[in-house]
Amino acid sequence: MNVIISNKQQNQLSKLDIDVIKNISGVYQVNELVEMFKNFFYNRMILDVTAISGYTDISKFKIIAKELDVEKIIFLLPDGSRLCTSSFLADLISLGIYNFTTSIDGIKYLLKKVNKYEDVVHIQKQAQKEAKVENENIGQNVVVSDENAFKGPRIIGIRNATDSAGATTFIYMLKSELQKSGFNVISIELDKNDFQYFNDKTMLSITTNNLQNTIKQHSSVDIVFIDINNLKDLSICSDVYYLLEPSIIKLNKLVKTHRYLLEKLRGKKVVLNKSLLSTGDISDFEKESGLKIIFNMPPLDERKRNPIVRDFLISVGVLSQGNTQSGNENNRIFGLFRL
């Protein structure tokens, strides 16, 4: 069942023929909406953004992206507003919000197919081009002062949910696969020095205090992987994946020493790593743990190129089938957004 939240676009949404479990209308503080729906079960939410008090402020969307599962939310934007610009949409995308449109047809499409990053990355590229042209016209270098504006690379965080779940090697294999596909990629680990053993200049070991400066210094790269370790503020990441090694000893240790961690992982993007579980085992594990597993990665030899690593990158929207960076350009400015 679905949820509809409407305000100025209520008449437009009344034409949407879908099963609805909850339908509310009006203007709400963003924290009100979070409290209302963070523990509410629904399949998809259609959110008329004019129902959010102060909806032109990107910080309101940042709260939604942090507290709710934005993969389930379709954002209906008012056509012709300042939200319908490549710069504002790029800000949404940097928060992990990929499902937005201005029309009922767009909503119907997104109800059938959830957007991935690769479906909207062209909007970020367009925003970068426009910012560059604008600044060149006034004889200045590109300077982005808004802290919420798109700053270049897609930043993907990887964290071990169980001890030694393999984040270091996992990042190395992801980085290597993307580089072989023509992408400019770096990897960063925080407050550790495990990367040094790979003897790879694109794998950096830094302190947390130097993270922002390091990102700025590498603003021209396409993707940054971060072994986030104990980093508390994850807002710098567009996506965060939690690695869980499903061995008996690791799981029992997790439950015994961090009894509430499984609950904290609910709603997160959990990847089974170094996993020998079958499809049936995974289904049972999901029922017992309450987690949703987005990918099952078996033990791999990092010295070889493993096709399943590419499968993972495709499944999370970093790569598309058969595409490298050079072959994945999208000339549309807004793509689905124009529906």
Side-chain angles (χ1 to χ4, degrees):
M1 298 292 283
N2 304 292
V3 168
I4 294 179
I5 303 171
S6 63
N7 185 37
K8 293 181 180 180
Q9 303 182 96
Q10 184 178 16
N11 289 338
Q12 189 176 0
L13 287 171
S14 66
K15 302 173 185 177
L16 191 62
D17 185 18
I18 59 173
D19 292 329
V20 177
I21 192 173
K22 191 175 182 68
N23 192 334
I24 62 173
S25 182
V27 178
Y28 302 87
Q29 296 296 325
V30 67
N31 289 327
E32 287 184 90
L33 293 176
V34 167
E35 287 301 314
M36 199 179 304
F37 292 102
K38 68 179 182 180
N39 294 316
F40 189 89
F41 177 78
Y42 56 90
N43 292 327
R44 302 296 295 278
M45 174 190 291
I46 294 87
L47 173 56
D48 169 6
V49 300
T50 67
I52 304 171
S53 178
Y55 66 89
T56 58
D57 183 352
I58 193 65
S59 67
K60 308 297 184 180
F61 294 88
K62 188 173 183 178
I63 294 172
I64 292 174
K66 182 179 180 181
E67 301 293 339
L68 299 178
D69 184 356
V70 290
E71 287 190 1
K72 290 184 174 183
I73 303 176
I74 298 172
F75 293 82
L76 180 63
L77 309 182
D79 196 14
S81 70
R82 67 176 294 267
L83 278 66
C84 303
T85 60
S86 58
S87 60
F88 193 91
L89 295 177
D91 290 344
L92 291 181
I93 295 166
S94 70
L95 296 174
I97 295 173
Y98 309 147
N99 295 285
F100 42 77
T101 185
T102 59
S103 71
I104 293 299
D105 286 339
I107 292 173
K108 290 178 180 177
Y109 181 90
L110 291 171
L111 284 169
K112 296 178 182 178
K113 178 188 178 297
V114 177
N115 266 351
K116 300 294 185 182
Y117 178 73
E118 63 178 359
D119 298 312
V120 293
V121 64
H122 58 283
I123 298 175
Q124 284 189 326
K125 291 180 179 179
Q126 180 65 25
Q128 286 180 296
K129 290 177 182 177
E130 291 176 0
K132 184 176 181 179
V133 169
E134 181 180 350
N135 283 278
E136 286 176 347
N137 287 340
I138 60 176
Q140 296 179 349
N141 294 325
V142 177
V143 177
V144 182
S145 58
D146 184 350
E147 65 176 1
N148 291 307
F150 176 62
K151 298 177 177 59
R154 181 180 182 182
I155 301 173
I156 300 175
I158 307 291
R159 169 171 280 170
N160 285 334
T162 52
D163 291 340
S164 303
T168 300
T169 302
F170 188 69
I171 288 174
Y172 170 74
M173 290 189 291
L174 296 178
K175 179 199 69 71
S176 298
E177 181 61 38
L178 285 175
Q179 287 174 332
K180 291 171 183 174
S181 297
F183 285 78
N184 187 2
V185 187
I186 65 166
S187 301
I188 297 171
E189 66 173 346
L190 301 177
D191 306 317
K192 288 171 59 179
N193 293 292
D194 292 338
F195 278 3
Q196 64 179 313
Y197 301 111
F198 286 100
N199 296 316
D200 188 326
K201 293 182 179 179
T202 61
M203 301 185 73
L204 312 176
S205 300
I206 64 172
T207 62
T208 299
N209 292 336
N210 289 324
L211 179 58
Q212 291 283 357
N213 287 335
T214 302
I215 296 294
K216 290 178 181 178
Q217 291 169 7
H218 295 84
S219 60
S220 63
V221 306
D222 301 309
I223 294 175
V224 176
F225 290 108
I226 303 179
D227 188 344
I228 54 182
N229 292 313
N230 296 317
L231 183 67
K232 294 182 179 179
D233 183 3
L234 303 181
S235 60
I236 195 172
C237 301
S238 57
D239 297 287
V240 177
Y241 299 99
Y242 296 82
L243 301 189
L244 193 156
E245 183 183 345
S247 64
I248 293 175
I249 188 170
K250 291 290 180 68
L251 291 181
N252 286 346
K253 186 176 181 181
L254 172 66
V255 173
K256 188 171 183 179
T257 59
H258 304 286
R259 55 186 298 183
Y260 300 114
L261 184 55
L262 284 176
E263 291 185 10
K264 291 181 179 179
L265 287 175
R266 290 174 184 169
K268 307 293 186 183
K269 298 175 180 178
V270 179
V271 176
L272 297 184
N273 195 35
K274 299 187 286 185
S275 169
L276 296 173
L277 297 187
S278 66
T279 302
D281 292 333
I282 295 171
S283 179
D284 291 340
F285 176 71
E286 287 181 326
K287 292 176 182 177
E288 293 173 5
S289 65
L291 303 180
K292 176 63 178 177
I293 305 303
I294 67 166
F295 202 86
N296 184 43
M297 185 69 71
L300 299 174
D301 182 353
E302 68 271 20
R303 298 175 184 85
K304 300 178 180 179
R305 189 173 185 179
N306 300 280
I308 197 169
V309 174
R310 186 177 183 84
D311 292 343
F312 171 78
L313 291 167
I314 291 171
S315 74
V316 299
V318 177
L319 284 177
S320 60
Q321 287 282 1
N323 284 105
T324 63
Q325 181 195 41
S326 60
N328 197 29
E329 282 296 324
N330 192 326
N331 293 322
R332 298 174 299 166
I333 295 178
F334 294 108
L336 171 65
F337 176 73
R338 281 301 187 191
L339 286 174

